[in-house]
Amino acid sequence: MSRAGTRVGVGTRFRYDGETVEVVEMAATTAGNEVVLKDGRGRLLRLSLKELLFSDRAAISPDGPGPSANDDEEIASVVLGQLDSAARAKVFERAEHVREVLTGYRSGTPEFARTGEPYPGYRPELPWEERYAAKANELGVSLRTVKQWVADFRRRGESGLAPKKGAGKPHAKVDDRWVETALEVMVEHTGESKPSRTMVIERTRARVIARFGPDVVPQPSRATSFRLLEELERRHPLFRLSTKRNRDIADRPEGVYGKLRPTRPGEYLLMDSTRLDVFAFDPFTLRWVQAELSVGMDWYTRCITGIRITPVSTKAVDVSAVLYQSFRPRRAGADWPRDAVWPEHGIPRSVLVDVDSLEGPGLVSPPLVPETLVVDHGKVYVSEHLTSVCRRMGISIQPARLRTGRDKGPVERYFRTLREGLLQALPGYKGPDIHSRGERPEDDAFFFLDELEAIIWEWTATVYHRRPHASLVDPGLPGLRMSPAAMFEHGMARAGYIEAPRDRDLGFEFLKTVWRTIQPYGVEIGRRRYNGSALNDYRNIKSPYTDSPVKDGWPFQVDPDDITRIYFRDPADRSWHSLLWEHAPSASMPLSEDALTFARKLAAAKYRFPDDCLAVADLLERWNVGLGTTLPERRMALRLSREQAAIELPQTEEETVVSLPSVRKALGQSTEREEPAEPMLTAAPEMGDDDEADLEDGGDDDFYADALEDV
C-alpha cells in the first residue's frame, strides 16, 4: 500500500527556488534543527529545517510512488457524497465481504467477531485463491470481480468500491467542432432578438459545412441537437430567459466579482434615477405624465438622503437638488409620527440626553457629507456644475460600469420596494411593464408631481427607514436584521463619527444659479419679486461680475422645490441671506415652480386681473379641499379634477399606505387615530339640480366609469 509520507534525511531531494537540491548534512543547534543543501553545481546552502519544510519556496521530491494532490482520482468525500442511501448501503455491504476475505471477519478484527466467524471458507490460514473462490461462489460473481474488489479496497478503502462513473463530457458523442460552432452562433445573438432553436441549429450546420467542408464534421440528429442546445443554455442563456436578462448575464465579468464595502455612514452615496410605475398630473397641461424619480442613498445605512420627482426626464439641476438635500435635509411634516423624524443635528436619539427638548419638526434624514458618489454615466450625473462643486467639497465621483445595474444594487432594490410597498396602492399605478398594465390607469392619476414627492418622502421616513432590511446585518450577529435608522446608530457606534457638513450653507452651491439685476423693489425672477435687507447696500451700485450673462447681473441661488425664497451671497462678508417672495406670507407651505405656474393658469381663467397673491391663495384653497367618501361627492371631485390638484385617493388594503397622514388627508380622513374627521368639502363648484339630488339619494353608479372621458 502506498504511503502519503516520505523520508526526510541525508539524500532527500527538494525543489528550492526552482533548483534541485539535496540534503547532505543535518545538525541540531541551539537555534533548532538545520540542514545543509547542495545544488547541482556543488554550492552549499545552510538553512533551518522549518524553513525547508514549511516555506512556499521549497517542495519535497518524493523518492517513490504515492498519493498526490494532483491525481486524477476524486477524493473519498466527493465519491461517497454522490451516492444515495441505497448505493451507500450497497458499498458498505460490499466492504464487509472484502474484509471477510482479507481477515476472516466482516468487521475486520477478531474483537468484533460475529457468531460463527471466521467461517470455514475464510479462515486466515487458507490460501488467498481459496478465499477468493469461496466469496465468488457465495455472491454469485466471477473470481476476477472479487480480486478487483480486494485491490480497490486495499488502494482506496470503501470509496474504491463505489460504482465507477465516467467523468466525460456531457456531449461526448458530438464532435467538438459542432459544439463550439453552435456556441459561437448563440453568442452572436446576444444583442439581437430571441431566435428559435431550429434556426440556431440550421445556422450551425451551414457554418460547419462552410468552414470544414461537407461530410467532414458529423452532424448530430435533431433530437441530439436540441439536447445539446439545452446544455449550452447553461453556458450562454439565449432561449429560456428574456433578452434583457440574457444581455445582463452576458455582460457579467469573467473574473472575481469585486465589491465596495462601506464601513461607516457617508462613505458612499448612491445616486440613480428611474421611471416610476405610476402616472401623475403635469401642472402645466393638466394631463397625466410619466414621473421620474431621482434619489440619493447612503450605502452603509440604506438611508434615503434626497428625493426629487420630475416629469419625463431628469436634468442636471434635479441631481444637484438631490445632493443639496444631503447637506440641508428637508423638514418633516408637522403631523408625522415622532419616531419617523431624525433629530435636528443628525445624531441618533440614543445619543441625546433629552429628546423632548427639541422644538419644532425634525428632519426627514440626517445631514451627511458623502465621501464618494457612485453614479452611472448619464450626462446629468457628470455635468460640469456637479463635478466642479464635488471637487471643491472633496467629494469623489465613482462612475459605475456601463449597463451594470448591480453596481448600484441597494438603490435598485429601493425602487422595487417603493413600487411594491407604496406605488401599487396609489391611483394611476400602471405596473412594471406593458403586460402588467391595467386597461386605463391614466384615468386614476389624481396626484401632482409635488404631491407624489411628498407622499414618497413620508412613506420613506415612516415605513422604509423604520423597517428591518435583510441586507442590513452585523457580521458579528448575522441573525439580527436592522432598519436604516438602527444601522445609522450602529455606524455611529462602530466608526465613532460621521461626516456632517462643516457649514450647512455649502449646500447652496448645488442649487441653480440665476442672474438678475438688483432693482429698487428687489429682484424679479419668473415674474416673482424677491426682496430683503441684504440688498440694501447693492441697489444702486454696479455689479462686480463684469462677465455676467445679464448686464449688471448678480447671482442668486434658486431651489426648484421652494420658490418662496431665493438665496443671495453678500460679496462683503461672503455670508448667505434669504430673500423672501413678496407673496410668500400667503403660502403656508413650500411652493414649487410647477405649482405656481398651474396656479397662474387657474387664476387667469377665473379672474380678469389676477396677481400671484390671489393665484396662490386660490390654489391653496383648492388643495385644502378635502374629499368625502360618498359617490356624489366623488362625482363632483372628478368633475373638479379638470381644474384642481388634490383628488381623493381610493381605499386600499395596504395599511402602511393608508395610515400615512398625507394619504389620509387626501382621503378626507382625520389624521388623528381616535376620531375620524368629518368631510372637509368646504368649497363646492357650481352644480345643477341633478347634483343636489345625487347628494340625497346616493347618485348614479354608472357615472364614474366615464367621468374622465373627454368630450
Side-chain angles (χ1 to χ4, degrees):
M1 183 175 60
S2 60
R3 299 179 58 84
T6 186
R7 184 185 66 86
V8 176
V10 177
T12 304
R13 295 178 180 273
F14 285 84
R15 293 288 297 176
Y16 188 77
D17 286 343
E19 295 185 4
T20 301
V21 294
E22 181 182 352
V23 178
V24 296
E25 183 181 352
M26 300 185 66
T29 65
T30 57
N33 295 326
E34 294 185 353
V35 294
V36 178
L37 305 177
K38 183 176 68 173
D39 61 11
R41 289 176 287 182
R43 295 178 301 179
L44 300 179
L45 174 65
R46 187 185 185 102
L47 72 161
S48 66
L49 181 61
K50 179 180 179 181
E51 170 72 13
L52 187 64
L53 294 178
F54 299 106
S55 174
D56 294 335
R57 301 170 60 185
I60 193 171
S61 299
D63 55 357
S68 177
N70 57 0
D71 290 339
D72 294 335
E73 301 177 355
E74 293 289 351
I75 61 178
S77 60
V78 174
V79 174
L80 297 176
Q82 300 181 70
L83 304 178
D84 55 16
S85 57
R88 187 185 293 265
K90 186 176 181 180
V91 168
F92 293 161
E93 181 183 1
R94 186 176 296 174
E96 291 181 347
H97 289 296
V98 173
R99 284 193 291 266
E100 187 176 20
V101 171
L102 296 177
T103 63
Y105 304 92
R106 292 202 171 189
S107 62
T109 176
E111 286 78 4
F112 299 99
R114 300 180 184 180
T115 304
E117 290 185 343
Y119 294 108
Y122 306 112
R123 294 183 178 277
E125 61 271 13
L126 294 177
W128 290 108
E129 291 295 331
E130 294 185 13
R131 284 183 273 177
Y132 292 155
K135 183 57 68 176
N137 293 332
E138 178 186 350
L139 300 179
V141 297
S142 64
L143 183 63
R144 183 175 180 178
T145 300
V146 175
K147 292 182 178 181
Q148 185 65 45
W149 286 353
V150 173
D152 292 340
F153 183 83
R154 284 176 170 174
R155 187 168 56 90
R156 301 196 61 188
E158 283 84 348
S159 64
L161 301 177
K164 304 298 186 297
K165 295 182 179 180
K169 297 176 292 185
H171 44 75
K173 296 182 180 180
V174 182
D175 195 290
D176 290 340
R177 292 173 290 183
W178 199 97
V179 176
E180 295 300 327
T181 305
L183 183 61
E184 178 183 323
V185 174
M186 294 175 63
V187 171
E188 292 176 356
H189 283 84
T190 300
E192 301 179 2
S193 300
K194 183 183 298 185
S196 65
R197 291 175 173 83
T198 302
M199 188 182 76
V200 173
I201 293 174
E202 295 299 330
R203 289 192 175 183
T204 301
R205 290 178 177 176
R207 186 171 299 183
V208 166
I209 294 175
R211 182 174 297 174
F212 303 103
D215 301 330
V216 175
V217 177
Q219 299 288 345
S221 65
R222 181 179 178 84
T224 303
S225 300
F226 272 86
R227 288 194 297 268
L228 179 61
L229 292 184
E230 185 176 354
E231 296 174 2
L232 295 179
E233 178 79 6
R234 300 180 180 180
R235 298 172 58 182
H236 187 83
L238 181 63
F239 309 106
R240 180 172 51 91
L241 305 175
S242 65
T243 55
K244 183 178 183 300
R245 180 59 176 163
N246 291 337
R247 290 192 296 269
D248 182 65
I249 295 176
D251 291 336
R252 288 175 178 174
E254 297 181 357
V256 180
Y257 286 10
K259 184 177 181 180
L260 296 176
R261 299 187 181 275
T263 58
R264 59 175 175 81
E267 187 174 2
Y268 296 103
L269 185 69
L270 305 176
M271 298 186 69
D272 199 6
S273 301
T274 187
R275 186 71 59 86
L276 290 181
D277 299 326
V278 63
F279 289 116
F281 268 2
D282 183 4
F284 294 95
T285 62
L286 256 186
R287 300 179 61 182
W288 60 266
V289 295
Q290 291 185 337
E292 190 163 294
L293 171 67
S294 300
V295 300
M297 170 189 284
D298 177 58
W299 196 337
Y300 183 83
T301 64
R302 307 298 198 271
C303 173
I304 302 300
T305 61
I307 290 178
R308 174 74 171 155
I309 293 183
T310 56
V312 184
S313 61
T314 303
K315 300 179 181 179
V317 64
D318 302 316
V319 176
S320 299
V322 172
L323 198 54
Y324 165 76
Q325 296 176 18
S326 178
F327 278 74
R328 298 181 68 92
R330 296 180 55 174
R331 289 284 177 176
D335 51 356
W336 284 18
R338 174 177 288 271
D339 60 351
V341 180
W342 293 86
E344 291 288 337
H345 43 72
I347 304 300
R349 287 179 172 79
S350 60
V351 183
L352 298 178
V353 178
D354 185 9
V355 179
D356 298 330
S357 62
L358 296 177
E359 297 181 358
L363 305 176
V364 299
S365 62
L368 290 174
V369 177
E371 180 178 327
T372 302
L373 296 182
V374 180
V375 299
D376 54 24
H377 293 262
K379 294 182 179 180
V380 296
Y381 291 102
V382 291
S383 63
E384 296 81 358
H385 174 216
L386 184 62
T387 55
S388 299
V389 176
C390 289
R391 175 72 66 175
R392 164 172 156 74
M393 304 291 183
I395 302 174
S396 302
I397 298 180
Q398 176 65 49
R401 289 172 294 179
L402 291 173
R403 297 183 299 276
T404 308
R406 70 181 69 90
D407 285 354
K408 304 186 300 298
V411 70
E412 298 289 351
R413 187 62 177 86
Y414 168 77
F415 292 149
R416 175 183 171 185
T417 304
L418 176 66
R419 173 173 59 85
E420 297 177 350
L422 174 67
L423 297 183
Q424 65 180 0
L426 296 180
Y429 175 71
K430 61 183 181 64
D433 51 55
I434 190 64
H435 303 288
S436 306
R437 182 170 299 183
E439 185 176 0
R440 298 185 65 181
E442 62 271 16
D443 289 352
D444 297 330
F446 295 145
F447 284 111
F448 277 75
L449 295 174
D450 51 351
E451 293 176 316
L452 185 60
E453 180 177 322
I455 292 176
I456 292 178
W457 253 127
E458 186 175 348
W459 175 85
T460 300
T462 57
V463 179
Y464 183 80
H465 283 170
R466 304 295 155 181
R467 184 169 56 189
H469 293 196
S471 59
L472 294 180
V473 296
D474 186 345
L477 298 172
L480 178 64
R481 300 293 184 266
M482 289 183 284
S483 65
M487 197 66 180
F488 182 83
E489 300 187 20
H490 176 272
M492 283 284 298
R494 178 181 180 180
Y497 71 97
I498 60 172
E499 289 285 345
R502 59 180 298 169
D503 188 348
R504 296 183 65 226
D505 291 342
L506 290 174
F508 292 134
E509 301 186 24
F510 291 101
L511 297 180
K512 179 182 178 181
T513 300
V514 178
W515 294 86
R516 290 295 185 271
T517 58
I518 299 178
Q519 303 295 334
Y521 54 80
V523 180
E524 183 172 347
I525 300 177
R527 295 187 297 167
R528 304 183 303 272
R529 292 185 176 181
Y530 299 87
N531 208 343
S533 58
L535 301 178
N536 293 339
D537 297 337
Y538 306 101
R539 296 185 190 273
N540 298 313
I541 67 174
K542 186 177 181 180
S543 172
Y545 301 94
T546 57
D547 295 331
S548 168
V550 178
K551 184 178 180 181
D552 288 335
W554 296 76
F556 299 92
Q557 304 302 105
V558 178
D559 184 1
D561 290 330
D562 185 8
I563 61 172
T564 59
R565 65 194 70 235
I566 61 175
Y567 305 97
F568 173 70
R569 191 176 191 179
D570 193 331
D573 56 3
R574 313 302 292 173
S575 60
W576 289 91
H577 302 274
S578 297
L579 305 180
L580 292 180
W581 181 31
E582 59 181 350
H583 300 304
S586 63
S588 58
M589 55 183 170
L591 192 66
S592 66
E593 182 82 33
D594 296 342
L596 179 60
T597 303
F598 172 58
R600 286 174 173 172
K601 179 179 179 180
L602 292 181
K606 185 175 181 180
Y607 305 104
R608 184 174 182 180
F609 300 105
D611 59 4
D612 286 343
C613 182
L614 185 62
V616 172
D618 190 60
L619 176 67
L620 296 180
E621 181 182 355
R622 290 174 181 271
W623 281 2
N624 289 330
V625 172
L627 302 177
T629 57
T630 65
L631 182 60
E633 291 172 335
R634 190 168 188 174
R635 171 180 174 178
M636 290 184 294
L638 289 172
R639 287 186 176 181
L640 193 59
S641 67
R642 293 299 187 182
E643 57 176 341
Q644 82 167 23
I647 302 299
E648 175 194 10
L649 176 66
Q651 293 283 353
T652 66
E653 297 180 358
E654 299 289 341
E655 296 182 357
T656 57
V657 177
V658 175
S659 60
L660 297 179
S662 61
V663 179
R664 293 174 62 87
K665 187 180 298 182
L667 284 167
Q669 300 177 357
S670 172
T671 56
E672 299 292 336
R673 297 183 179 179
E674 293 78 13
E675 298 181 0
E678 297 295 332
M680 300 188 306
L681 197 60
T682 57
E686 297 182 1
M687 62 184 72
D689 295 338
D690 56 340
D691 289 323
E692 294 181 356
D694 290 339
L695 288 174
E696 297 176 359
D697 58 15
D700 186 6
D701 293 339
D702 297 332
F703 175 79
Y704 181 71
D706 58 352
L708 290 180
E709 292 184 358
D710 294 327
V711 179

